């Protein structure tokens, strides 16, 4: 559409100069101009349109509350909330332990790995670094048959990759005690972890490495020679899994190949979730962990009845953002990060949450603090000695590398983001360009680079133990520990206060200082208000929330209660004014449709397409809560195609039942629905009637079913199993996570057994109409 | 919709505000976002026309009209603060090796440029471009603002207004605004490869984001838009939300043009292989769009992973891997564009450099000045531009970083001036000292 109509309409040319001239005056004059560009974007400055309601109706209030404080209403939710009263509903949501969440727990039972402790998880699903270490040292495999199979197969996979990269190991056979056939220096191209092994050889260009791998794969294939595949598939589940676990790694791989895509599903029939995990882990343990961490996070957002807790968990996971591809350790740290670090404090005290994140291995690894050590600490002295020894013995293999990766001093990455993103906010930074006197009053005297360095010193020694069993040398991923010998001694100056020498206590003091600062109260309140109220929230509500924050020692419940009871929260201009983020769009679509999901991986992949990969924000600022970040040509295309594909049951593992939902099970599914049914669908999906244009388009298309099948081609999610493993095993992708074409590079594939290309759309008139409504402008807002 | 909105939209490219419109630019603070500002107006006038004009005209005709001068600017952002001192290495600086005992690039390993600087060995793909005189280097470039926050620094670089947070639009968008064009601009005039329009390209000139050309369509990949796509278009045409409305317009127009031009059939030229990475795919697709003659004038892409706090490696390792991808991708693009590269200028940037000294974990922390590359048909390459500030302790910024001697806006300004024809540097970089008399004249 033309943006410069003047160029198209000759008559405009003549008048343009005059208009322009007068506007230049208007622009420079300022105040004259201020009233002109009224915009629906900004509720705080938008004048109430003449004749518009000054207050929300009760129905609007219910819809507003559920749109803002949950991931969108499911059928019946609005009525239920109105029945007990919004205030009572809100108080219940503020106290999630009072809400029965058994339906959610049943969903979570599909992810048994997510219930394991950190140590159990690391034992059951060995990390690539653990396998590497075991191969190097010839460590015996575990004796438990299931774990033995997982380790042996994963190890064989590892060796196969070394083989493809030209390192020539022998594929070990099941039962062999020694598996250490790998070279002492694994090639980075396949097993390397850029964050931890950056000192070894550089990766080959991806295309070349991939080609070599494929060729090696074909060349090294051993034909399947075990029990007939059909006979194994016919076994009862317990015997079937025993047969698979009992195969040698080479035979297990040959068996899978023999099975092919079509019969793969039959393999899993009747398996318990643990058995499904075992078979998947035999191919790639890290993929099981990574996939379940992402899937279970999405499933909780969709299915938990403790919706405010889910929303706040999502909010804090984004505020204290970590990145799944930081290193090969990071996926293993995500389950505990969500379950033990964030969720228990999501509606608790901010300071408890801050301390929990500071101590969490996930954050330690993501922002490098686990490696930061005092430059004058005993550990640094030792590092220097190692370096000197390495320099004096240049021919000792690997010594330089050991020396190089042993930490010798401060890494200020976490300290900076702790201040800038987690607490005070970057608006409080004092620098040569910004004097303290120019800061927001809540900043006080602000912070400087010197404060960042001091806080980094305070937090030296905050690190993590060696992982389970001490298998891995240069990786760490287990529990938080304070190590005195890494801590920088002496007093430190932080934000104008002297922190006396006190080991671990120094860090707690600084975290307390940060958590209780008025700057933090303002920063957190502002961010909450942007999430819950408006992209540009009125300052009055932010100030009121910040006051609550300070008065209650950072009680998050109290801050939310203040917000809920503020008139600004209920003012008509903010009603339906927020554009949904991709997670809000996806979760609300699934909730409005009352869809059932038994495979969440395609949804995880869809989040990539929608531009918001789960645990996929590479930088520590997390995703934005404002609309500019989420409305683009590409985002819109993805949303429209997702809406169609989901409503037409073309997302593998996600099913809708529109006739059931509308109480129209007896009607002819192919018949064009009545206007009454269309309106019912509008209320179900949008919570209110659609705009005239939307309704006209929906009704018009309802007589043209059968169009959804094609939409699948525009939402190409990866469904192939081959190669996904290699991508994960090769460590974090450093590209912009939002830009992975075709969902490549996520954890997808491992448990996804559905052949996407073979699916047929359930695209009768109701599904077509639902897809259009889910893609409508109205549904993009909350 | 009111006429006042329309006139507001129109005024922006007619008057030379010389920075006096900064109050108007405070859009973020006053809550008037760029889309609300822009869309309401132009579309209000023509938004109700039944058959959009673009349906009745050839894609090629309008594209040709829009990019009359045929020049194209590609901006590449290295997000995360690239370690410029290990990219174009000042190997003749004594203090360099003292400050970087284990991560320094040894003199015998660098690809020597001029007896003082050498390219990181992973960037071999850049060396011939430099030797042929297409690639220019500007060292010690950066922002006058000293923030060490990635997010603030990126924001300042993308808005083009260091220290001013309330600027609502991006410098490249303003550069397009200032460019003299004839006829209706193409929907592809400003395009970002990715799921979102970056800050750099946000503003009054419509800009589109495309992650993957092959998937950029609604309800099917056929040569015509599907009925269901048209149904969505009808909904978005009348949406009362100006942001969704405007984006809808851009989206459906772009889809239609893509279907007509079918850029996917332009495969890379013989012998050109792009790295199979997100960044590689982005540039491959920029090339396809440009070859399709869709009227691309400004293209943007970014590449992350430069925040090397830990174990960045030296001649090999983490940074080296990333530099290989970076330089191979750009070199592939250059070769792929063949004769057309004559009209293309590519400029690279990163929010700040890294500490001159390595840190305690084999990496580098947030620093200040950095290196920028400019590659183009009319670039006077084969030279390292800018004043070298030195690396002795007293020459460092705050005693820890390479000092800035060239304002990054000066480099971008020259590229925009000479490539896009944006003549008014106060529009592009309000409040700056940038003007043609102090350009480095690398082009």
């Amino acid at each position: 559409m033309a943006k410069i109509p003047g160029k198209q309409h000759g008559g405009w040319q003549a008048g343009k100069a005059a208009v322009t001239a007068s506007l230049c005056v208007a622009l420079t004059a300022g105040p004259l101009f201020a009233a002109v560009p009224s915009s629906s974007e900004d509720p705080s400055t938008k004048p109430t349109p003449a004749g518009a309601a000054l207050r929300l109706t009760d129905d609007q209030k219910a819809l507003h509350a559920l749109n803002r404080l949950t991931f969108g209403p499911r059928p019946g939710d609005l009525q239920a909330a109105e029945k007990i009263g919004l205030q009572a509903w809100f108080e219940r949501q503020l106290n999630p332990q009072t809400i029965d969440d058994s339906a959610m727990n049943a969903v979570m039972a599909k992810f048994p790995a997510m219930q394991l402790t950190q140590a159990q998880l690391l034992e059951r699903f060995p990390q690539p670094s653990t396998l590497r270490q075991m191969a190097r040292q010839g460590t015996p495999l575990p004796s438990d048959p299931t774990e033995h199979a997982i380790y042996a197969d994963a190890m064989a996979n590892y060796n196969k990759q070394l083989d493809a990269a030209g390192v020539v190991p022998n594929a070990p056979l099941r039962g062999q005690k020694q598996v250490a056939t790998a070279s002492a220096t694994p090639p980075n191209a396949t097993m390397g972890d850029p964050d931890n092994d950056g000192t070894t050889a550089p990766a080959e260009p991806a295309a070349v490495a991939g080609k070599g791998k494929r060729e090696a794969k074909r060349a090294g294939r051993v034909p399947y020679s075990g029990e007939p595949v059909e006979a194994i598939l016919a076994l009862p589940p317990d015997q079937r899994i025993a047969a698979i676990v009992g195969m040698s790694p080479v035979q297990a791989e040959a068996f899978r190949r023999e099975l092919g895509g079509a019969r793969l599903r039959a393999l899993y029939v009747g398996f318990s979730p643990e058995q499904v995990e075992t078979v998947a882990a035999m191919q790639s343990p890290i993929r099981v962990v990574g996939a379940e961490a992402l899937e279970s996070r999405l499933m909780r957002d969709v299915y938990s009845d403790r919706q405010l807790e889910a929303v706040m968990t999502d909010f804090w996971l984004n505020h204290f953002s970590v990145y799944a591809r930081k290193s090969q350790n990071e996926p293993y740290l995500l389950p505990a990060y969500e379950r033990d670090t964030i969720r228990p404090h999501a509606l608790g005290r901010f300071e408890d949450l801050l301390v929990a994140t500071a101590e969490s291995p996930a954050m330690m690894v993501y922002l490098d603090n686990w490696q930061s050590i005092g430059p004058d600490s005993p550990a640094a002295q030792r590092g220097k000695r190692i370096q000197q020894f390495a320099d004096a013995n240049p021919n000792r293999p690997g010594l330089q590398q050991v020396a190089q990766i042993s930490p010798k001093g401060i890494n200020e990455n976490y300290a900076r983001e702790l201040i800038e993103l987690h607490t005070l906010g970057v608006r409080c930074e004092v620098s040569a360009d910004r004097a303290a006197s120019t800061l927001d009053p809540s900043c006080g005297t602000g912070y400087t680079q010197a404060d960042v360095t001091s806080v980094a010193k305070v937090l030296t020694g905050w690190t993590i133990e060696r992982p389970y069993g001490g298998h891995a040398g240069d990786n760490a991923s287990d529990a938080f520990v304070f190590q005195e010998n890494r801590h920088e001694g002496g007093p430190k100056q932080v934000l104008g206060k002297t922190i006396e020498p006190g080991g671990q206590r120094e860090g707690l003091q600084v975290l307390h200082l940060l958590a209780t600062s008025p700057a933090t109260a303002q920063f957190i309140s502002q961010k909450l208000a942007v999430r819950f109220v408006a992209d540009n929230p009125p300052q009055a509500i932010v100030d009121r929330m910040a006051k609550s924050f300070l008065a209650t020692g950072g009680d998050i419940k109290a801050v939310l209660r203040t917000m809920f009871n503020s008139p600004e929260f209920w003012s008509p201009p903010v009603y339906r004014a927020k554009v949904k983020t991709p997670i809000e769009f996806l979760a609300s679509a699934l909730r409005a449709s009352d869809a059932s999901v038994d495979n969440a991986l395609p949804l995880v992949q869809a989040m990539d397409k929608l531009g918001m990969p789960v645990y996929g924000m590479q930088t520590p600022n997390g995703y934005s809560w404002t609309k500019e970040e989420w409305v683009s040509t590409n985002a819109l295309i993805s949303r429209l195609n997702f809406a169609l594909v989901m409503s037409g049951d073309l997302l593998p593992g996600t099913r809708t039942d529109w006739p059931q939902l509308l109480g129209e099970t007896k009607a002819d599914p192919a018949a064009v629905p009545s206007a009454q049914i269309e309106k019912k669908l509008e209320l179900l999906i949008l919570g209110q009637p659609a705009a005239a244009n939307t309704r006209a388009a929906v009704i018009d298309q309802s007589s043209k079913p059968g169009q959804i099948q094609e939409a699948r081609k525009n939402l190409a999610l990866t469904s192939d199993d081959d190669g996904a493993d290699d991508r994960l095993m090769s460590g974090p992708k450093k590209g912009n996570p939002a830009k992975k074409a075709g969902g490549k590079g996520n954890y997808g594939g491992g448990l996804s057994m559905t052949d996407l290309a073979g699916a047929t759309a359930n695209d009768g008139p109701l599904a077509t109409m639902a897809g259009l409504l889910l893609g409508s402008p109205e549904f993009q807002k909350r | 919709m009111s006429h006042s909105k329309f006139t507001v939209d129109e005024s922006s490219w007619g008057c030379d505000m010389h920075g006096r419109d900064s109050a108007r630019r405070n859009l973020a603070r006053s809550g008037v976002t760029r889309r609300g500002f822009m869309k309401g107006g132009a579309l209000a006038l023509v938004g109700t026309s039944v058959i959009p004009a673009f349906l009745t005209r050839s894609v090629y005709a309008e594209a040709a009209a829009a990019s009359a001068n045929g020049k194209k600017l590609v901006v590449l952002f290295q997000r995360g603060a690239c370690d410029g001192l290990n990219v174009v290495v000042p190997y003749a600086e004594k203090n360099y090796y003292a400050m970087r005992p284990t991560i320094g690039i040894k003199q015998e390993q660098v690809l020597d440029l001029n007896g003082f600087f050498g390219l990181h060995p992973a960037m071999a793909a850049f060396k011939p471009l430099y030797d042929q005189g297409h690639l220019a280097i500007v060292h010690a470039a950066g922002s006058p603002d000293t923030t060490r926050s990635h997010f603030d620094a990126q924001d300042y670089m993308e808005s083009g207004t260091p220290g001013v947070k309330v600027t609502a639009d991006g410098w490249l968008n303003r550069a397009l605004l200032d460019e003299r064009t004839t006829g209706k601009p193409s929907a592809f005039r400003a395009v970002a490869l990715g799921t979102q329009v970056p800050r750099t390209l946000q503003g009054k000139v419509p800009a589109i984001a495309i992650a993957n050309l092959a998937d950029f369509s609604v309800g099917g990949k056929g040569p015509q838009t599907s009925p269901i796509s048209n149904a969505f278009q009808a909904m978005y045409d009348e949406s009362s939300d100006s942001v969704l409305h405007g984006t809808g317009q851009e989206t459906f127009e772009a889809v239609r043009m893509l279907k007509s031009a079918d850029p996917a059939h332009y495969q890379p030229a013989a012998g050109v292989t792009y790295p199979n990475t997100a960044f590689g795919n982005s540039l491959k697709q920029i090339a396809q769009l440009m070859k399709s003659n869709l009227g691309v004038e400004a293209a943007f892409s970014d590449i992350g992973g430069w925040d090397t706090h830990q174990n960045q490696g030296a001649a090999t390792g983490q940074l080296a891997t990333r530099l290989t991808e970076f330089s191979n991708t750009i070199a592939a693009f250059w070769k792929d564009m063949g004769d057309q590269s004559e009209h293309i200028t590519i400029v690279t940037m990163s929010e700040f450099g890294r500490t001159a000294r390595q840190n305690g974990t084999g990496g580098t922390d947030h620093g200040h000045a950095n290196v920028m590359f400019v590659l183009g048909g009319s670039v006077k390459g084969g030279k390292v531009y800018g004043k070298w500030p030195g690396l002795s302790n007293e020459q460092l910024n705050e005693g820890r970083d390479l000092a800035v001697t060239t304002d990054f806006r000066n480099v971008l300004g020259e590229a925009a001036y000479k490539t896009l024809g944006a003549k008014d540097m106060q529009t592009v970089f309000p409040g700056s000292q940038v003007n043609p008399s102090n350009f480095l004249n690398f082009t």
Side-chain angles (χ1 to χ4, degrees), chain A residues 1-9 12 16 19-20 23-24 27-28 33 36-42 45 194-196 198-203 206-207 368 370-372 387 404-413 416-417 420-421 426-427 429 431-434 449 453 536 579 608-609 611 618-621 627-637 640-641 644 693-694 697-698 701 704 707 710-711 713-714 716 734-736 738-739 741-742 768 771-772 775-777 780-781, chain B residues 4-11 13-15 17 20 24 28 30-33 35-37 39 42-43 45-46 49 52-54 57 102 144-152 156 163 165 184-185 193-197 202 206 208-212 214-221 226-228 231-232 234-236 238-244 246-253 255 276 278 282 301-302 304-305 307 309-311 313 316-318 321-322 359-362 365-366 400:
Chain A
M1 194 62 65
K3 305 291 181 196
I4 310 176
K7 300 290 182 192
Q8 290 184 330
H9 303 274
W12 267 96
K16 187 187 152 223
V19 173
T20 300
L23 265 148
C24 290
L27 287 171
T28 37
F33 180 68
V36 177
S38 82
S39 151
S40 64
E41 267 54 80
D42 182 15
T45 57
D195 280 303
N196 289 328
T199 53
T200 50
D368 303 323
W370 73 282
Q371 289 205 319
S372 180
Q387 185 66 57
Q404 212 164 324
I405 60 172
S406 74
K408 293 169 201 70
I410 293 282
N411 183 314
E412 61 187 44
N413 201 9
R416 169 163 286 282
E417 310 308 2
E420 174 180 319
L421 296 172
V426 69
R427 76 196 192 299
E429 184 188 49
S431 65
D433 310 302
R434 261 181 304 283
Q449 173 62 41
T453 307
N536 291 289
V579 169
D608 290 0
K609 283 278 178 184
Q618 190 181 20
T619 50
N621 50 335
K627 72 167 93 176
E628 281 74 17
E629 295 298 318
W630 302 117
V631 182
S632 74
T633 49
N634 200 78
L636 189 57
I637 295 252
L640 303 183
N641 286 312
L644 295 172
N693 252 46
T694 298
V698 170
Q701 292 298 307
K704 303 168 191 164
Q707 298 187 55
E710 284 292 301
K713 294 179 185 164
N714 301 117
K734 291 292 189 174
N736 181 345
K739 297 176 66 170
T768 303
L772 283 159
S776 70
Q780 310 315 311
K781 307 190 77 172
Chain B
S4 58
K5 281 187 182 178
F6 164 70
T7 49
V8 167
D9 184 56
E10 184 78 351
S11 73
W13 45 272
C15 46
M17 303 303 296
R20 283 174 285 123
R24 182 173 57 81
S30 70
V32 182
T33 66
R35 287 197 184 271
F37 189 74
K39 306 292 182 192
L43 293 165
L45 192 80
V46 293
S49 47
F54 59 78
R57 268 181 290 131
T102 61
D145 191 276
T146 56
T147 181
R148 288 185 216 277
S149 155
H150 290 297
F151 321 105
D152 272 3
Y156 291 154
K165 292 204 171 184
K184 182 179 124 21
L193 269 288
T195 54
Q196 289 137 27
V197 176
Q202 288 177 9
I208 61 174
I210 297 184
N212 188 351
D215 296 339
F216 196 81
S217 178
V218 178
K221 293 188 172 182
S226 64
I228 214 157
F232 277 125
M235 289 182 193
Y236 280 83
E238 292 300 309
S239 171
S240 59
D241 184 288
S242 60
V243 175
L244 293 173
T247 303
Q249 296 285 343
E250 291 162 9
T251 303
F252 294 108
E253 179 170 0
V255 165
N276 187 19
S282 288
S301 182
D302 53 15
D307 196 15
H309 283 279
Q310 189 246 51
N311 273 333
T316 62
Q318 203 187 144
T321 305
R322 185 79 348 171
N359 70 8
T361 54
D365 290 325
H366 300 180
R400 55 181 260 164

Side-chain angles (χ1 to χ4, degrees), chain A residues 84 264 592 703 762:
Chain A
I84 63 167
L264 206 50
S703 60
N762 168 26

